[in-house]
Structures are given as C-alpha cells and as structure tokens.
Amino acid sequence: MGKYLLKRSLSMVITLWLIATLTFVIMHLIPGDPFATEARMLPEEVVQNMRERYHLDKPLMEQYVRYMNGLIHLDLGPSIQQKSQDVATLIQQGFPASAVLGLQSLVMALVGGIALGVIAALFHNRLPDYAAMFFAILGISVPSFILAPLLIKYFAVKWELLPVASWDGWEYSLLPSVALAIGPLAIIARFVRTSMIEVFDQDYMSTAEAKGLSTFHIVVRHGIRNAILPVITFIGPLFANLITGTFVIEKIFAIPGIGKYFVESIFNRDYPVILGTSVFYSAVLILTLFFTDILYRFVDPRIKLANGGE
C-alpha cells in the first residue's frame, strides 16, 4: 500500500504540473490580451503600466516561472478584472455554493439511479423495466441546460412551488440540483441495471435464494455491492465535475459558484482566474480519482492496491 501511495502521489503531482503548463501555454497562444478593450479607450502609457502590474510585459518563460512559483506556494495571483480580489479568494467565495449544489446532485443521482436500476433488473423485460429505461433514455437525451428552463417554467413560474434566481436557503438549490442530477441518474440506472442482471445470474445469488433469504436481503446484501463497481468508476469524475461547478446551470439559476467566475473570466480574458480555476478543478478531479481507486478496495476485497496496483 505504501509503495502504491507513493507512486500515485508522484503521478498526481506530475499530472497537475502538465495540466497547469498546458493551460498556461494555450492561454498565451490565443491572440489578444485582457487589456484589449482598455487599449482603445486609455492612453498607451496607462495600458502599459497595467501590463507591467500583472507582469504580462515579461517574456513568456519568465511569466511561466513566476506562475509556477506562485502555484507551489498556493498563490494563484490577483484577478485582472476584479482588481480588489485575488483568485484564491474568488475560489473560496464560489466553492461552497458549487459544493452544496454538487453534493446534492450527486446524492440524488446515486439514490435515484441505483433504485431505478435495481427495479429495472428485478423486473427484467417487464413493464417496470421498460418504463425505467425509457426514463433513463430521456434523462440522457435531454441536456441539463434544456431541462433547467423547463423546471423554472413549471415549478417556479407556473406552479410557484420553488424559488429561483437567488441563493438564500436550501429551497433555492433544489431545482438546479434536479437539473444536474437527471443526466447522471439515468446513466447510473443503466449501469446498475446491466450489472444487476449479470449478478442475478451468478451461482452465489442462486445459493442465497435457495437458503430462503428475502429478495430485499439478497439484493442489498449480495447484489448491489457486487454490481456497484461500474458506478464507482463513474462517480469519480462526476463528483469532481459537480462540486467544482457546472457552469451553464449556475448561470441559468444565478448561483454564485465557481462556474460564474470561470465563465466571466473567459469573456474578460482574465488569465489568473482561468488558470486558477482550471488548476483547482484538475486538482479536485485527480484527488477524486485517487480516492475512487481506494474505494474499490473496500467495495471489492479481491482488488489489490499493493504491488503496483495489481
């Protein structure tokens, strides 16, 4: 285990460095700079001073070394457009809302997807199975940015059941969480259905049934644990994606999350915010995938993480 953790830690650091480097290079290869608008309205001397303030007048390699040095010391630099705040502060402000929204969506997707998949497998090739898979196909086919306005129209505007366009309590997070959860819920349902059908054909399931165990006991104790491995693979990137902010949904529901700052930074060419949020997202994703691998070991003891992960 110690050897595996050391190798994974080293690979995570290298991966994060590569992502930070590629993001830095791509951002500087795009034509233009954050002061393109000001250059038309302000004297050249003022624009030049602004470029010097953010070290954009320095050679690219010097900018890269300065950026990586700040990254090592967890200093993501100041925001260019929001001059009174640095990138780390913006992430601290936006992450709680994104995390709450993401965790709620993840719980909804897991609970609903596993339940729907188990029901479909129990009633394989019967009406509940067809109904569950029809819902799953709809959930996968309809994008969240299409579902979100429909939820707003009916649940908030027409029926006035839930509020939107603010972040003043738990009720404001329900509609965006549902909009985010439907797609992953449908995918998880299909994964669980397929896995459960395979598990039901195993000999140990027949043995458990022959012992007189209840269907509930067989499904929960023996079935779900062995059928959930494909779901764990999907949970890793899904968890990182949800808790770090789904940009379109946050924009539609006016949620003050990381997605808001990321979208605004792209339009404003705010290099530090783009780089900082990208590296933050990548770090969360890498850590999530790492803990997902560890989780495999507890779900299925046959998987060994020692000796190079064999």
Side-chain angles (χ1 to χ4, degrees):
M1 176 66 76
K3 182 179 179 181
Y4 171 78
L5 293 177
L6 180 62
K7 291 177 64 176
R8 280 302 300 268
S9 299
L10 181 60
S11 68
M12 288 191 293
V13 171
I14 294 175
T15 301
L16 193 60
W17 169 71
L18 288 174
I19 291 173
T21 300
L22 287 173
T23 306
F24 178 88
V25 171
I26 291 172
M27 284 305 307
H28 286 79
L29 285 177
I30 299 175
D33 63 54
F35 305 110
T37 303
E38 287 84 348
R40 305 191 192 100
M41 305 170 58
L42 300 175
E44 179 61 30
E45 294 79 7
V46 175
V47 176
Q48 183 60 31
N49 289 336
M50 295 171 68
R51 290 194 175 101
E52 291 178 2
R53 164 70 176 82
Y54 295 99
H55 310 289
L56 296 178
D57 61 326
K58 300 293 190 294
L60 190 60
M61 182 55 67
E62 184 176 339
Q63 293 184 48
Y64 173 73
V65 172
R66 182 183 295 272
Y67 173 70
M68 294 306 299
N69 181 62
L71 195 60
I72 292 173
H73 294 88
L74 302 180
D75 179 10
L76 301 176
S79 169
I80 294 176
Q81 297 298 325
Q82 304 189 49
K83 299 177 176 57
S84 62
Q85 301 189 70
D86 56 28
V87 178
T89 301
L90 294 178
I91 293 176
Q92 290 174 3
Q93 292 176 350
F95 181 68
S98 294
V100 169
L101 182 62
L103 287 172
Q104 283 188 180
S105 304
L106 182 65
V107 171
M108 290 180 182
L110 283 175
V111 174
I114 292 174
L116 201 63
V118 170
I119 292 172
L122 285 172
F123 297 93
H124 182 45
N125 288 334
R126 283 181 279 177
L127 182 59
D129 182 20
Y130 298 142
M133 289 304 98
F134 177 75
F135 176 81
I137 292 173
L138 283 180
I140 296 172
S141 303
V142 179
S144 59
F145 60 84
I146 298 294
L147 181 62
L150 293 176
L151 293 175
I152 293 174
K153 177 182 178 180
Y154 289 100
F155 286 90
V157 177
K158 187 174 182 179
W159 299 330
E160 298 183 355
L161 296 176
L162 292 169
V164 292
S166 185
W167 194 253
D168 297 328
W170 64 269
E171 63 272 19
Y172 288 87
S173 65
L174 290 181
L175 287 182
S177 295
V178 170
L180 285 175
I182 291 299
L185 185 153
I187 296 174
I188 291 172
R190 292 179 64 87
F191 279 154
V192 172
R193 174 186 178 273
T194 302
S195 297
M196 285 296 294
I197 291 174
E198 294 178 357
V199 168
F200 284 149
D201 290 334
Q202 301 299 315
D203 292 338
Y204 62 84
M205 297 294 284
S206 301
T207 302
E209 187 176 358
K211 289 180 178 179
L213 299 178
S214 65
T215 302
F216 178 83
H217 186 89
I218 294 173
V219 170
V220 174
R221 183 72 181 274
H222 301 284
I224 292 180
R225 181 174 181 179
N226 291 283
I228 205 171
L229 282 176
V231 177
I232 294 177
T233 304
F234 180 64
I235 286 176
L238 172 64
F239 176 75
N241 181 57
L242 291 177
I243 69 169
T244 51
T246 303
F247 311 137
V248 176
I249 295 299
E250 289 187 4
K251 193 70 174 177
I252 292 175
F253 287 93
I255 297 171
I258 294 178
K260 168 188 173 183
Y261 299 118
F262 185 79
V263 172
E264 291 176 354
S265 68
I266 292 176
F267 284 111
N268 296 325
R269 301 295 297 276
D270 195 337
Y271 290 166
V273 177
I274 295 174
L275 291 169
T277 51
S278 298
V279 170
F280 177 75
Y281 172 84
S282 302
V284 173
L285 177 59
I286 291 170
L287 287 173
T288 304
L289 294 176
F290 170 71
F291 287 116
T292 300
D293 290 343
I294 300 297
L295 184 60
Y296 273 129
R297 178 66 180 85
F298 292 98
V299 174
D300 190 345
R302 294 171 299 177
I303 297 176
K304 304 297 182 181
L305 297 181
N307 297 325
E310 295 181 359

